[in-house]
Amino acid sequence: MITVRKAHERGRANFGWLDSRHTFSFGSYYDPQHMGFSELRVINDDIVQPGAGFDTHGHRDMEIISYVLEGSIAHKDSEGNVKILPAGEFQLMSAGSGIYHREYNASDTSPLRFLQIWIQPSETGGQPGYQQKAFGREPGITSIATPDGQGGTLKIKQDASLSQIILLPGESVPITPQRNVFIHQVDGQLSVNDTILAPGDGAMITQESDILLSNLGAEPVTALVFDLP
């Protein structure tokens, strides 16, 4: 079964400095029909104005992934990490027993756009951790995060994985899910077993033995695919 959450159906919060779309309930946006999917709790599509950002705040017991679409994030946390996360790179912050951090638009002239993703960990507590990596833009399936960090992927504290799908016009790729799958459409239009996803759409997939992802358009397609328990 494929259930689509359309981009325009998402929740929204606009504070002037931040304009955010919420796939699932978050902050003041509450929808009992969209509290998450499996262990996936948050997908926020955030646009941050130049020079603005999230002041220092804390998290615990959450795997937090950031994926920069435009601009750069300036990151600083209580574990001593001071980093710049440019467009195209992924960051995984394991909050563990507790971590404080701030995330700012590194530019004073250009907006920042990034995806903020939260996944519930399979274990609580433990030492907080920070990982950051660029995985390139090669067409096909690229593994981003896995439970054991295999192949240089980010190591996530959950029996879950994240992949990036990039398809050129006319390309297709099959996947054979054994569990729950969530697809977040980033760019272009993706056909998922003939169900069309536009940018910002999400697809919750359960009890499907075969999935064919296809680019039927004239521009490249980018999507994030979550394999979840």
Side-chain angles (χ1 to χ4, degrees):
M1 182 170 62
I2 302 175
T3 303
V4 176
R5 171 80 151 148
K6 303 298 291 183
H8 70 269
E9 297 172 345
R10 296 177 296 179
R12 184 179 183 186
N14 192 331
F15 301 103
W17 64 271
L18 170 68
D19 189 1
S20 181
R21 270 70 172 177
H22 307 323
T23 297
F24 304 114
S25 294
F26 185 87
S28 61
Y29 168 64
Y30 174 72
D31 183 345
Q33 301 302 313
H34 296 94
M35 299 298 294
F37 179 70
S38 181
E39 300 303 320
L40 180 61
R41 293 289 180 263
V42 170
I43 298 183
N44 290 349
D45 191 339
D46 292 341
I47 298 175
V48 181
Q49 293 304 306
F54 301 87
D55 287 330
T56 301
H57 59 285
H59 298 282
R60 64 178 301 155
D61 296 328
M62 192 63 68
E63 300 293 283
I64 301 172
I65 298 170
S66 296
Y67 175 38
V68 181
L69 303 177
E70 300 173 20
S72 297
I73 292 175
H75 169 95
K76 184 177 182 180
D77 64 45
S78 55
E79 293 294 300
N81 297 297
V82 180
K83 304 288 186 179
I84 297 294
L85 187 72
E89 291 199 8
F90 289 83
Q91 173 198 87
L92 171 55
M93 187 174 66
S94 298
S97 59
I99 191 169
Y100 287 88
H101 73 123
R102 61 182 294 182
E103 309 286 338
Y104 262 71
N105 185 342
S107 172
D108 290 326
T109 58
S110 302
L112 159 70
R113 182 181 172 211
F114 73 105
L115 296 178
Q116 179 183 175
I117 299 160
W118 294 11
I119 295 176
Q120 187 77 36
S122 57
E123 58 186 73
T124 58
Q127 181 69 25
Y130 181 93
Q131 303 166 69
Q132 176 181 335
K133 188 172 181 179
F135 290 87
R137 297 282 303 170
E138 289 297 318
I141 302 175
T142 300
S143 293
I144 304 298
T146 61
D148 55 7
Q150 63 181 354
T153 57
L154 306 176
K155 187 175 181 179
I156 190 169
K157 295 180 180 180
Q158 178 54 265
D159 183 19
S161 64
L162 167 63
S163 299
Q164 177 179 261
I165 305 290
I166 297 177
L167 297 177
L168 300 179
E171 289 186 336
S172 297
V173 61
I175 59 176
T176 305
Q178 303 295 320
R179 309 185 299 170
N180 298 303
V181 171
F182 187 91
I183 299 176
H184 177 83
Q185 186 60 23
V186 178
D187 290 315
Q189 292 196 335
L190 180 69
S191 171
V192 183
N193 287 2
D194 299 323
T195 296
I196 303 299
L197 300 183
D201 291 352
M204 294 165 277
I205 303 173
T206 58
Q207 299 178 337
E208 292 281 340
S209 58
D210 294 290
I211 298 173
L212 183 64
L213 306 179
S214 303
N215 181 356
L216 304 181
E219 301 294 333
V221 159
T222 302
L224 298 181
V225 178
F226 300 83
D227 178 75
L228 300 159

